[in-house]
Amino acid sequence: MNSENKKPKLAVLLTQYGATSHGICYCTKFLEGKQFDDHFEPPLCEVVSMHLMEIAANDIGLATAKKHQVPLYPSVATALCRGGDTLAVDGVVIIGEHGTYPLNEKGQQLYPRREIFDQVVSVFRQSGRVVPVFNDKHLSWNWTWAKYMWQTINALNIPWMAGSSLPFAKFEPFVPLPRGKRLDHVIAVGYGGLESYGFHSIETGQNIVENRAGGESGVKSVQVLNGAAVWEAHNQGRWPKDIADAALASLKKPSGKPQDFTRDVFAFDIEYRDGQRMTVLMANGYSQEFAFGYREKGKKEIIAASYFLDEVPRLKHFSATVRALEEMYLSGKPTAPSARTTLTTGILAYGIDSHFQKGVKLETPDLNIAYKPPATYSVAMRGK
């Protein structure tokens, strides 16, 4: 395929394709290209089939498929097989985000990512081969299911990427990642719902902390604080206040003071198996931005930066994500750590359980997920 310079053929599976959905973030860019600050890049892959599980009230998926002459198929299997009996695409894009899916008692939205995954794997098994797959955001709301998905991915050697767009987005100032450095407590800052944007917030921090000396070791425990207890812990030094203050100060459009807000404010307090610590502050009310702060062991300087995320319709911060995915579909190899999203899925699941159990600290013996990020990131990992 690559030697003949043919574009990889993709099947895109979506729960919904509304005017403000992740369908625009991913599928539209695969179809129409990627806009960066100073240039435009045409598509490197070809979308040859789509499956929509729901038609949104503000649906644009039907019109987009018609515009680009992409066939719509009634099921996952027919989309992957393009109406035939065997796998007929070079890559799969799963966008299991948005739609009329209920919430459980913990506030988790029951997106059918595991169900879509199972149908994809069934086609792989039937066809006797696998192709690269991308899964938008965390693997599943159900941690037991997520672990099964990860075990299956490894057992079948599926080239796999998943997760948030934040690890690919621009941060300002353009500070270095702490590759191979021993780190003090890492702080990540985010906002939004505990599950939906808690995941983005955790991956914001994990993208930093995984670069420490020795690489990722896995997580020992997770605890979620909320409300006034977050700022009480902050003032009492449960995490380094100066690093947290620097991360908060890097935000571009804050409102008032962080401690003026307690409603829907959360902190994930995470202890890693090698003794590393990270706190993820979800400073709702104060900000609607993402940021991070860290300091090398034995040094005084604090490195802090915030992310620049633009709005619909261009959503340029997804352009670097799609570029990285295109590289995976072209090369057959993931361009970011596949284990990262499995680990962050578990951190999020334990954090939601901690919050549901009134903020109890939970030991996490099955988060023994160790990995090392690539020694050097592809150019696809950083947008311009």
Side-chain angles (χ1 to χ4, degrees):
M1 177 186 65
N2 295 341
S3 61
E4 299 174 359
N5 295 318
K6 291 183 179 179
K7 291 182 178 180
K9 293 178 170 56
L10 305 182
V12 182
L13 315 172
L14 307 101
T15 47
Q16 274 193 2
Y17 199 162
T20 57
S21 73
H22 280 201
I24 285 203
C25 304
Y26 292 106
C27 190
T28 300
K29 293 187 183 302
F30 280 118
L31 286 164
E32 299 181 358
K34 308 166 291 295
Q35 181 67 55
F36 293 90
D37 287 349
D38 60 356
H39 72 286
F40 174 84
E41 295 181 4
L44 299 179
C45 299
E46 180 185 3
V47 177
V48 296
S49 65
M50 289 171 54
H51 169 57
L52 293 177
M53 298 182 69
E54 295 184 353
I55 304 301
N58 63 348
D59 176 73
I60 64 167
L62 297 178
T64 300
K66 183 178 180 180
K67 174 184 175 182
H68 294 280
Q69 300 181 320
V70 178
L72 287 165
Y73 289 91
S75 68
V76 170
T78 54
L80 266 62
C81 297
R82 299 170 68 188
D85 296 325
T86 191
L87 182 65
V89 294
D90 304 310
V92 180
V93 182
I94 300 174
I95 308 174
E97 182 81 0
H98 302 284
T100 58
Y101 300 95
L103 301 177
N104 66 10
E105 70 278 6
K106 299 176 185 177
Q108 296 165 296
Q109 192 152 15
L110 308 185
Y111 288 123
R113 296 175 189 148
R114 157 73 191 271
E115 293 86 340
I116 298 171
F117 172 84
D118 283 346
Q119 293 175 65
V120 170
V121 168
S122 291
V123 173
F124 287 175
R125 293 185 189 277
Q126 177 179 309
S127 303
R129 69 185 184 96
V130 303
V131 296
V133 178
F134 169 67
N135 178 92
D136 186 20
K137 294 190 71 174
H138 47 299
L139 274 66
S140 173
W141 60 271
N142 184 314
W143 175 229
T144 299
W145 289 359
K147 288 189 289 185
Y148 161 80
M149 292 166 70
W150 181 237
Q151 291 164 0
T152 303
I153 290 162
N154 287 326
L156 297 182
N157 293 315
I158 300 172
W160 179 268
M161 286 176 65
S164 169
S165 63
L166 267 294
F168 303 91
K170 293 191 308 179
F171 47 78
E172 299 174 349
F174 187 36
V175 297
L177 297 179
R179 301 196 186 283
K181 307 294 184 182
R182 295 177 62 247
L183 299 179
D184 199 342
H185 202 123
V186 173
I187 301 290
V189 177
Y191 70 99
L194 185 61
E195 183 193 30
S196 59
Y197 272 49
F199 175 74
H200 287 301
S201 305
I202 294 167
E203 285 229 326
T204 296
Q206 188 62 33
N207 185 49
I208 304 302
V209 77
E210 71 188 14
N211 285 281
R212 68 190 182 274
E216 183 50 63
S217 66
V219 169
K220 180 180 178 182
S221 67
V222 177
Q223 183 176 14
V224 167
L225 309 178
N226 78 291
V230 172
W231 302 123
E232 290 172 7
H234 178 78
N235 291 330
Q236 292 168 4
R238 179 163 176 168
W239 46 82
K241 189 173 182 295
D242 56 347
I243 300 178
D245 286 343
L248 290 164
S250 74
L251 299 170
K252 301 173 186 65
K253 298 179 181 178
S255 176
K257 298 178 180 179
Q259 297 180 39
D260 291 340
F261 304 92
T262 57
R263 182 177 178 180
D264 296 328
V265 170
F266 303 99
F268 288 81
D269 198 9
I270 302 160
E271 182 180 2
Y272 291 84
R273 295 166 69 87
D274 61 359
Q276 178 67 48
R277 295 275 304 284
M278 180 169 76
T279 299
V280 179
L281 298 173
M282 299 186 67
N284 283 306
Y286 176 68
S287 174
Q288 291 189 353
E289 298 176 74
F290 297 94
F292 63 85
Y294 73 86
R295 176 172 55 208
E296 292 182 34
K297 287 277 191 182
K299 294 191 175 181
K300 295 182 179 179
E301 180 188 11
I302 297 172
I303 304 295
S306 62
Y307 286 83
F308 178 78
L309 307 181
D310 54 4
E311 300 297 330
V312 173
R314 295 200 175 189
L315 292 162
K316 288 183 290 187
H317 68 281
F318 280 93
S319 291
T321 313
V322 171
R323 186 203 278 161
L325 295 175
E326 288 175 329
E327 283 198 6
M328 176 180 71
Y329 294 123
L330 285 162
S331 69
K333 298 179 180 179
T335 52
S338 303
R340 177 200 293 146
T341 300
T342 307
L343 181 59
T344 52
T345 296
I347 293 171
L348 177 66
Y350 273 105
I352 290 172
D353 282 347
S354 171
H355 177 60
F356 189 67
Q357 298 176 44
K358 310 298 183 183
V360 65
K361 180 179 179 179
L362 296 176
E363 299 296 318
T364 58
D366 52 354
L367 294 188
N368 58 338
I369 300 169
Y371 65 92
K372 290 185 178 181
T376 58
Y377 277 64
S378 157
V379 66
M381 306 297 288
R382 297 294 304 154
K384 288 186 179 180

